[in-house]
Amino acid sequence: MKKILVACRGYYPDVAGGGEISTKLLTEQLSSLGYEVEVLAVSDADYKDQVNSIDVNRVKYSNLYWSMKNKEVSKVKKLIWHIVDSNNIAFANKIGAILEKVKPDIFITSTIEDISSLAWKIAKEKGIRTIHILRSYTLLCVNANMYKEDNCGSRCGLCKSMTILKKSNSKYVDDVVGISRFVLDEHIRSGYFKNAQQHVIYNICLEDVLKERQYNGFNGKIINFGYLGRVHKTKGIDLIFSALSKLPDSITKNISLKIAGDGDKDYIRHLSDEARKSKLNVEFLGNVPANDFLDCLDLLIVPSKWNEPFGRVIIESMARKVPVAAKKVGGIPELLSDNQGFLFDNEEQLTLLIRNYLESNLHFKFILNNFETKNIVNKWNDLLS
C-alpha cells in the first residue's frame, strides 16, 4: 500500500478545534485501510511519538509563535506571523527534510496554518502527489473566517495582499478536497488551485448512532432547546433569544434553552442580561461532553452568522436523533438537504420554525448515508488509489 504523510498545525493531544479532531480520525481510518500513514505536526518542540500506533513527527514552529497558542498575541505580531506564514522558508526546509526521510507517495496537508503553503511547492519538486483539505478560509482571509461585522461579500485589499503567495503556491496542489461544496467553491471562485482536481468529502464525525432520542420533553416535560459550540457573537446565539421572545409566554414558559460551550466572557454577560430582560429560561453550562448534552435536548439550534465551512455539531446531533434547526449559511444547508424546513434566514423564520415544530407540523428526517464513516472512507480510498 502507498505511504502517506499527513501534515497539520497540531495533532492529538494538541487540539484547538474540529480541524485537529478531523485530522486524527482521517489518519486512523486511512491506516485501518492498510495505508502506511505518518503525521507531520507542528509543535512547540522537536520530538517523535506515537498516537494509536501512528508515528507522529512533531516539529517546532518557525514563526513568532505557534498558531495553536495565539490568544494573548498582539495585532502587530499576528500581522507579522501572517507575512512569514505565507511563504515560510525556514519551516519549508524542515518539511523538506521530513519528506526526504519518510519518502511518502502522497503528501496531505490537512490544515495549512504554521505548515506554510510553500510545502506544496517542496513536495511537487520531489515528485510527490499533493492533496490539500480545505477546512477554513485561512488561505483567503487573515482572520480565517471571511467575517467582519457581517460575512465578507468579497475579499478586502489586506487579505488579498497577505495571501497572494498562498494563492500562487496553490498551483502546485494536485487534488483539493473541500469539506463542503461551499468552502471549495469560495476558493475556486477566488482563483485558487487552478491545476488541481476538485473533490468534496465531508468530515468523519458520525459515531454512536442511536435508534431514538434519549430525552423527550413532549411527554409532559419541559421542552429543551440547546446551543452547542463556541460562545461568540459570530455564532448568532442572540438570534435564538430574539426568536423565542416573539413567542407567547404560554409557550416559552415550557421551554428551557441550554447553552453549552465557553468563549467570549463579555458576550456571555450580554446574553445573560438579555435572558433576564426577556424572561427566558436560559442555562449557561460551560464546556460539557457533547453527547451528554445532546442527549438532554429536543432540538439543537445552530444560528451561526458566519459562513461555517461545515458544521460538525449538526451531524453529531443527528447521530443522537436530536433534530437540528440551522441558519442558511456556508456549508450548513448541504448537511440538511433532506430537512429544508429546518433551515432559516432570520429570527422571524426561526420563530415560525419553532412554532411548527412544537405543534408537530414539522418532522425531521434522520438520513445519514452521506455522513456514514464507511462511505466517507470509501471516497478517500477512491481518491488515493
Side-chain angles (χ1 to χ4, degrees), residues 118-186:
L118 190 56
W120 300 327
K121 183 180 181 182
I122 302 295
K124 190 72 171 180
E125 289 173 346
K126 294 180 182 296
I128 301 168
R129 183 183 174 193
T130 303
I131 301 171
H132 179 61
I133 305 174
L134 292 168
R135 302 190 183 281
S136 72
Y137 307 103
T138 190
L139 295 173
L140 300 173
C141 171
V142 294
N143 293 322
N145 58 11
M146 295 283 288
Y147 189 97
K148 288 181 181 175
E149 294 303 315
D150 199 351
N151 289 301
C152 300
S154 60
R155 295 199 298 151
C156 65
L158 174 64
C159 286
K160 284 182 178 179
S161 61
M162 294 291 286
T163 59
I164 191 167
L165 291 175
K166 296 178 182 181
K167 182 177 179 178
S168 176
N169 288 332
S170 74
K171 67 177 176 284
Y172 299 111
V173 174
D174 297 299
D175 295 88
V176 59
V177 177
I179 60 170
S180 67
R181 170 58 60 183
F182 184 90
V183 73
L184 176 60
D185 286 349
E186 282 294 299

Side-chain angles (χ1 to χ4, degrees), residues 263-282:
D264 188 321
K265 303 301 181 187
D266 291 336
Y267 186 55
I268 292 173
R269 280 193 291 271
H270 164 72
L271 292 174
S272 297
D273 291 341
E274 288 301 307
R276 281 192 293 272
K277 290 176 186 175
S278 303
K279 298 181 180 178
L280 297 174
N281 181 14
V282 181

